[in-house]
Amino acid sequence: MTDAAPEFLRFTGHHAFAQRLTLSTLTGRPVHISKIRSSSPTNPGLAPHEISFLRLLEAITNGSSTQISYTGTTITYQPGLITGCIAGLGASDGDIIEHNLPPLCRRGVTYFLFPLCLLAPFSKAHMNVRFTGAGVITSATEAGDVSVDTFRTAVLPLFSQFGIPPVRIELRVLQRSCVGSAGYGGGGSVELRFASQVRLPKTLHLNRSPGRIKRIRGVAYCTGVSASNNARMIHSAREVLNPFVSDVHIAAQYDQAPLVPTGDKAGSKKRLGIGFGLSLVAESSATGVLYSADVVVPPVGGVVPEEIGKRCAYQLLDTIARGGCVSPISAQMMLVLMAMGSEDVGRLRIGRDVLGTEDLVRLARDLRTFGASSWGLRDVEDDDTGDIIISVKGTGVGNVGRKIA
């Protein structure tokens, strides 16, 4: 008697594409996604960054299968076992997987780092991936991706809340790059080494008061332009932040713009990814509460460094004003880890404006589709902040590839 064919979970559209494939890989549920930009007259189907993400999933898993329609508007994905860097199954350079991003990639490298770090704790071996190629963008992007600096300082430390030691997670920026002048491509290089694999993430209880901001840290970066832009961004940001917090320190990082092959027969190269930006992170007096902001100059230019510094500072103040114990960029990651954890009820305090975003509402629906419990919501008692406590019951998915100690 043969096994019944797996039942596909069906979705439509390109929204939350990486998120749904990540949940599919974590839960082992195959998915069918249709009508991917089917109404676009010029670029229907999968975008370059989405195709690259499918290749990344194939490299870090064993047994996954993907079928794409002729037009690229429909795909079926059957997940495999998350293996990480196992010799013969994906590791191309010793203990690391080389992943090349295409030149037409319009998304920042954090588009790939977020789902990769969600899968890494459940991997059979260490998850070591190096992103290279003409499409690697390390700065923030207009599509909503944060820079690698914000990811390193405001997202990776949060894994400690789930019993995953951040000291065993390393993110190296080998070559910085902003978005190319055409809105795509960068030529940077980033390496992630995730050596913290667990059976089950710990249950999170982050429902206390978010406390007060005690320090602000940041990184001002520029590639291929004058290093004085860093000082100008830092000075304008401190003008806004110093009246609120005395402990403000912003580091400056300068890199040459990367050389990227032009593709002609002569083998010539050109400088790509020129620009500058600012990343800020505010740390609260309550343990594990971080707020962040990230602003980068548009690819077409026309914005002075002073304006970037002020925008980033005001964006940080706005993020803090939204309240809660989690910022918008890390809320989805924390809620997914809570849903994948042990079969206990975890709690997270979140701002009302953060919870009401389209991305979090879609995440709640997707988690329920993949078999996770519905969220429980209640207002914070004896508090006029308007924050909400989310209760999430873990599914106990765990790491099937890791032996029990």
Side-chain angles (χ1 to χ4, degrees), residues 71-92:
T71 58
T73 57
T74 302
I75 76 160
T76 58
Y77 173 71
Q78 292 188 359
L81 179 67
I82 308 171
T83 55
C85 291
I86 295 182
L89 293 180
S92 57

Side-chain angles (χ1 to χ4, degrees), residues 164-293:
I164 304 171
V167 294
R168 303 196 66 191
I169 308 172
E170 185 177 6
L171 183 62
R172 304 174 182 174
V173 184
L174 307 178
Q175 173 63 63
R176 291 180 179 271
S177 176
C178 296
V179 185
S181 58
Y184 54 81
S189 180
V190 175
E191 183 175 304
L192 173 69
R193 291 184 175 268
F194 202 112
S196 294
Q197 280 67 47
V198 295
R199 281 293 297 176
L200 277 171
K202 290 184 178 179
T203 304
L204 176 69
H205 295 286
L206 195 59
N207 54 349
R208 58 185 179 275
S209 171
R212 293 180 176 274
I213 303 301
K214 62 179 181 179
R215 67 171 66 95
I216 295 176
R217 297 292 181 263
V219 176
Y221 55 90
C222 62
T223 57
V225 294
S226 174
S228 63
N229 290 326
N230 285 334
R232 294 165 64 183
M233 285 188 292
I234 294 172
H235 180 73
S236 59
R238 290 181 66 95
E239 283 185 337
V240 177
L241 298 175
N242 279 348
F244 301 98
V245 182
S246 59
D247 188 1
V248 180
H249 179 74
I250 305 175
Q253 181 70 43
Y254 170 78
D255 286 88
Q256 285 190 335
L259 278 170
V260 178
T262 58
D264 57 5
K265 294 182 180 179
S268 58
K269 297 182 179 181
K270 65 177 180 180
R271 297 284 181 183
L272 190 65
I274 298 173
F276 52 87
L278 180 62
S279 166
L280 294 175
V281 177
E283 183 179 346
S284 171
S285 57
T287 304
V289 180
L290 300 171
Y291 305 98
S292 62

Side-chain angles (χ1 to χ4, degrees), residues 1 29 76-77 101 176 195-196 201 273 304 344 349 353 391 397:
M1 183 177 179
R29 302 286 299 275
T76 58
Y77 173 71
L101 296 186
R176 291 180 179 271
S196 294
V304 296
D344 194 4
R349 178 168 175 162
D353 292 338
S391 300
V397 170

Side-chain angles (χ1 to χ4, degrees), residues 100-124:
N100 191 279
L101 296 186
L104 296 180
C105 183
R106 294 179 177 271
R107 301 300 298 264
V109 72
T110 51
Y111 172 84
F112 304 90
L113 290 175
F114 270 102
L116 196 62
C117 286
L118 282 175
L119 297 173
F122 306 94
S123 174
K124 187 174 183 179

